[in-house]
């Protein structure tokens, strides 16, 4: 916040003239009148609450394509916050382009090229370099972490318009057309959803025709688990929140940032009300008065769809207040406590536990946190019955899994398949086999942090609890298929660089460990003993799952791909 106080300084002039008071001057960062006027107009009658800081930063970024120091100072003054507090939040998130004083303005149009694993397999790095040379004036080309379009890799974003199966030519054509806005796909809208039985279950709950306990029992009997990656039993989580004294809140984790994952985007952009109904059911069960829906900024179409469809919901006295919050490009905010910090308008730094979010969560209140897909299944499980859900599955596993499949398969995409299916069955039955000219070589069973396994281990059931003994896990069920034309050591390095970039920096094992590991992995000959020692330190001492799991691709490559290492490395 700018200081309007004055400070007097005593100065000596020439000998014999005695002391003379200098002219009073204001100290601290001064507010530019024009910037203050622009910020006041931009915020209008919106609340200046502290938790809306990130939302207000988005307003500036969207309007001016950057955030100047003058606008930051004016926003801090308008919200009655310290400039340092606003600055540290704005510079934490990748999608806020903060321009320092005296620096040139950022180009009005930004092209983001995804450089995460699947896009890298399809030539994103070469495309990035060519676009940087050919984009021309007024256009900035930057690399971006996974944008959730791995099934149409390589992906690029022109403004907010995504170019699937991108090439230099198609990206430049889109840029020249000026088409920089998100395109909304066809999806099931409110009236169509209601016509097919939508919201009947919610209405039964609200009217008391279905007791809460019956619904919770259905979730327990089906053994529905959190499908964001952790796999915690859903019914047990809801009961735990309900057991805490009110008031209570609910938060939706729609920050799907794990490289290889795009299932939540699929559900939000095809049948959003099935998710919304599940969310409202959860809020009713735990008696949450407010629900905060946190969606990643890389999903502009999903954000627009959810806002439009929420506006169509009938006004009910018993309904919670719904708040849509927009992420700003930070993978760490997929961690539940970092998510809460971001919703509160802060940097996404994970909290120490305990207490856990169900005890002390958003704004210090007991908070139910659920993933998008978890809530999407609530209606089907309760209406069709737990036995229906449990009848799905293979290899003694139960339920369905939404696999985000990308890489060297003929037909990548979101594949709804039985829990416990093997990767070989997934490729052959749901993906049309391997892509032409490619032989199955390796796979990631659970996204960037889930490890890398060889094709020879293609008979492991893919589900919670089946992969841990191999140093892997299913996580959000993001399966990336690699072929004999891909290098697993390069893949592991790509993933480690991702974790290095996305580390929040709060704890040394993760911040320094990922950076050191990436440097060591750049060497032609890996120092395996040092890398394994470093990996163990990261697993043991990191605060959250990012640092604890970041080394999984590294350690599994060392363990399962001995042929990738030279005799010198093997001797070491």
């Amino acid at each position: 916040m700018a200081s309007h106080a004055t400070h007097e300084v005593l100065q000596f002039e020439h000998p014999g003239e005695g002391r003379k008071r200098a002219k009073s001057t204001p100290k601290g960062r001064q507010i530019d009148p024009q910037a203050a006027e622009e910020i006041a107009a931009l915020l209008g009658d919106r609340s200046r609450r502290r938790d809306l800081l990130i939302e207000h930063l988005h307003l500036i970024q969207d309007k001016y394509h950057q955030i100047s120091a003058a606008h930051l100072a004016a926003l801090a003054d308008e919200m009655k916050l310290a400039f340092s507090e606003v600055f540290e939040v704005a510079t934490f998130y990748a999608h806020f382009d903060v321009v320092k004083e005296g620096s040139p303005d950022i180009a009005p149009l930004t092209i983001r090229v995804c450089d995460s694993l699947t896009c890298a397999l399809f030539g994103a790095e070469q495309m990035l370099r060519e676009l940087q040379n050919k984009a021309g004036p007024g256009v900035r080309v930057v690399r971006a972490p996974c944008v959730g379009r791995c099934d149409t890799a390589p992906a690029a974003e022109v403004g907010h318009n995504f170019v699937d199966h991108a090439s230099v030519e198609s990206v430049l054509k889109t840029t020249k057309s000026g088409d920089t806005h998100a395109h909304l796909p066809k999806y099931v809208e409110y009236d169509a959803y209601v016509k097919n039985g939508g919201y009947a279950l919610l209405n039964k709950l609200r009217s008391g025709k279905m007791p809460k306990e019956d619904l919770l029992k259905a979730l327990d009997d089906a053994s529905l688990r959190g499908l964001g990656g952790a796999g915690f039993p859903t019914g047990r989580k809801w009961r735990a929140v309900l057991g805490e004294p009110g008031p209570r809140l609910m938060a939706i984790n729609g920050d799907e940032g794990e490289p290889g994952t795009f299932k939540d985007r699929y559900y939000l952009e095809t049948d959003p009300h099935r998710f919304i109904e599940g969310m409202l059911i959860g809020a009713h069960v735990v008696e949450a008065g407010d629900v905060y829906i946190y969606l990643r900024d890389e999903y502009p179409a999903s954000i627009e769809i959810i806002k439009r469809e929420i506006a169509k919901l009938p006004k009910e006295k018993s309904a919670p207040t719904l708040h849509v919050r927009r992420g700003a490009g930070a993978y760490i905010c997929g961690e539940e406590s970092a998510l809460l910090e971001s919703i509160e308008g802060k940097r996404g730094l994970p909290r120490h536990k305990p207490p856990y979010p169900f005890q002390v969560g958003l704004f210090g209140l007991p908070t139910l946190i659920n993933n998008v897909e978890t809530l999407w299944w609530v209606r089907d499980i309760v209406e069709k019955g737990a036995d229906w859900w449990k009848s799905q599955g293979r290899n003694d596993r139960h339920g369905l899994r939404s696999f985000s499949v990308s890489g060297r398969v003929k037909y990548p995409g979101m594949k709804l398949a039985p829990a416990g299916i093997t990767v070989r069955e997934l490729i052959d039955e749901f993906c049309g086999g391997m892509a032409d000219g490619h032989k199955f070589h390796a796979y990631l069973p659970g996204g960037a942090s889930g490890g890398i396994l060889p094709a020879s281990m293609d008979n492991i059931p893919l589900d919670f609890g089946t992969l841990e003994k191999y140093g892997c896990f299913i996580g959000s069920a993001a399966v990336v298929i690699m072929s004999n034309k891909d290098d697993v050591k390069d893949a592991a390095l790509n993933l480690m660089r991702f974790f290095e970039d996305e580390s929040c920096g709060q704890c040394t094992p993760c911040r320094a460990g990922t950076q050191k590991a990436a440097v060591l992995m750049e060497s032609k000959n890996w120092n395996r003993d040092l890398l394994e020692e470093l990996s163990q330190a990261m697993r043991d001492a990191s605060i959250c799952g990012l640092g604890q799991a970041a080394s999984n691709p590294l350690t599994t490559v060392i363990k399962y791909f001995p042929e990738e290492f030279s005799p010198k490395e093997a001797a070491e």
Side-chain angles (χ1 to χ4, degrees), residues 147-400:
V147 295
R149 306 186 85 84
C150 317
D151 53 331
T152 57
E157 186 182 15
V158 180
H160 287 299
N161 182 10
F162 283 98
V163 181
D164 294 323
H165 302 294
S167 65
V168 173
E169 293 72 23
S170 63
V171 173
L172 292 177
K173 182 179 179 181
T174 303
T175 303
K176 187 176 180 180
S177 73
D179 186 7
T180 61
H181 298 288
H183 291 204
L184 302 191
K186 291 184 179 179
Y187 61 90
V188 180
E189 298 187 31
Y190 176 78
D191 290 339
Y193 182 74
V194 172
K195 186 177 180 180
N196 287 290
Y199 292 108
L201 176 59
L202 175 64
N203 292 333
K204 285 175 65 177
L205 273 171
R206 286 177 171 173
S207 67
K209 292 181 179 179
M210 173 178 278
K212 290 181 182 180
E213 185 55 38
D214 288 359
L215 186 134
L216 287 168
K217 186 176 185 303
L219 299 182
D220 290 339
D221 291 346
S223 300
L224 177 65
R225 300 176 68 168
L227 297 171
F232 194 85
T234 303
R236 193 193 307 174
K237 178 183 281 191
W238 289 19
R239 292 178 191 277
V241 175
L242 188 58
E244 295 293 316
R248 308 177 193 93
L249 300 174
M250 185 176 186
I252 308 303
N253 190 342
D255 194 60
E256 183 180 51
E258 182 80 3
T261 310
F262 48 88
K263 62 182 180 63
D264 288 353
R265 177 177 64 82
Y266 173 84
Y267 287 121
L268 291 171
E269 294 182 0
T270 56
D271 197 357
H273 282 282
R274 198 170 293 268
F275 150 69
I276 294 172
E277 183 172 9
M279 172 183 69
L280 293 174
I281 288 170
H284 178 82
V285 169
V286 303
E287 300 168 10
D290 290 85
V291 179
Y292 292 80
I293 308 167
Y294 189 94
L295 300 175
R296 67 186 309 223
D297 196 32
E298 291 87 345
Y299 288 177
S302 299
I303 294 171
E304 181 61 27
I305 288 170
I306 291 300
K307 286 182 176 179
R308 287 187 182 189
E309 296 309 305
I310 282 176
K312 298 177 183 177
L313 296 175
K315 307 301 180 185
E316 301 280 353
K317 287 184 178 180
S318 59
T321 302
L322 305 180
H323 311 265
V324 178
R325 292 295 175 86
R326 179 178 162 192
Y331 167 75
I332 190 63
C333 291
E335 195 277 335
E336 62 177 7
S337 63
L339 172 90
L340 300 179
E341 291 288 296
S342 190
I343 292 174
E344 292 179 4
K346 305 171 186 174
R347 293 175 294 167
L349 302 181
R351 300 174 180 176
H352 290 275
K353 302 172 186 176
Y356 295 96
F358 80 89
Q359 300 166 312
V360 180
L362 194 57
F363 307 118
L365 299 176
T367 303
L368 173 63
I369 306 175
N370 277 134
N371 165 261
V372 168
E373 191 202 351
T374 308
L375 298 169
W376 197 91
W377 283 113
V378 168
R379 176 189 165 190
D380 275 348
I381 287 174
V382 177
E383 290 184 345
K384 296 179 181 180
D387 289 341
W388 163 79
W389 178 258
K390 295 179 74 173
S391 69
Q392 316 291 326
R394 294 185 186 178
N395 299 309
D396 297 322
R397 313 304 296 181
H398 303 289
L400 294 167

Side-chain angles (χ1 to χ4, degrees), residues 489 517 519-531 558 564-572:
K489 290 174 70 177
V519 170
L520 291 171
M521 293 166 72
E522 288 171 358
S523 172
K524 183 178 180 180
N525 296 317
W526 286 8
N527 185 334
R528 292 194 289 173
D529 288 343
L530 182 56
L531 282 168
I558 290 175
E564 300 289 336
F565 296 90
S566 67
K568 178 181 177 181
E569 292 172 282
E572 291 176 350

Side-chain angles (χ1 to χ4, degrees), residues 1 48 50 74-83 85-86:
M1 186 185 300
R48 272 59 169 173
R50 171 65 180 79
L75 179 63
D77 188 62
E78 188 76 19
M79 297 185 71
K80 304 296 187 287
L81 297 172
F83 177 83
E85 192 172 4
V86 176

Side-chain angles (χ1 to χ4, degrees), residues 323-524:
H323 311 265
V324 178
R325 292 295 175 86
R326 179 178 162 192
Y331 167 75
I332 190 63
C333 291
E335 195 277 335
E336 62 177 7
S337 63
L339 172 90
L340 300 179
E341 291 288 296
S342 190
I343 292 174
E344 292 179 4
K346 305 171 186 174
R347 293 175 294 167
L349 302 181
R351 300 174 180 176
H352 290 275
K353 302 172 186 176
Y356 295 96
F358 80 89
Q359 300 166 312
V360 180
L362 194 57
F363 307 118
L365 299 176
T367 303
L368 173 63
I369 306 175
N370 277 134
N371 165 261
V372 168
E373 191 202 351
T374 308
L375 298 169
W376 197 91
W377 283 113
V378 168
R379 176 189 165 190
D380 275 348
I381 287 174
V382 177
E383 290 184 345
K384 296 179 181 180
D387 289 341
W388 163 79
W389 178 258
K390 295 179 74 173
S391 69
Q392 316 291 326
R394 294 185 186 178
N395 299 309
D396 297 322
R397 313 304 296 181
H398 303 289
L400 294 167
R401 291 290 174 269
S402 303
F403 292 96
S404 304
V405 185
S406 64
R408 306 300 192 177
V409 293
K410 192 167 290 184
Y411 304 118
M414 204 292 290
K415 310 295 180 179
L416 185 60
I421 194 172
T422 67
V423 70
R424 179 64 71 177
E425 293 169 335
L426 189 63
I427 292 171
D428 292 343
E429 297 177 31
F430 290 83
C431 302
M434 293 294 293
D436 294 339
H438 291 269
K439 181 181 178 181
F440 184 29
H441 177 57
Y443 68 105
L444 282 68
S449 54
I452 303 177
L453 293 173
S456 60
M457 298 173 66
D458 62 355
N459 60 346
I460 303 170
L462 300 178
D463 196 17
F464 295 113
T466 62
L467 293 154
E468 282 76 2
K469 63 183 177 181
Y470 305 107
C472 300
F473 55 79
I474 191 171
S476 58
V479 180
V480 182
I481 306 298
M482 299 174 64
S483 79
N484 56 321
K485 298 184 179 181
D486 303 315
D487 188 315
V488 293
K489 290 174 70 177
D490 286 347
L493 175 57
N494 175 284
L495 299 172
M496 188 58 72
R497 284 173 173 161
F498 168 80
F499 291 124
E500 178 189 1
D501 289 341
E502 295 297 330
S503 173
C504 74
Q506 181 178 193
C507 68
T508 302
C510 177
R511 180 184 67 250
T514 52
Q515 186 273 335
K516 181 64 174 178
V519 170
L520 291 171
M521 293 166 72
E522 288 171 358
S523 172
K524 183 178 180 180

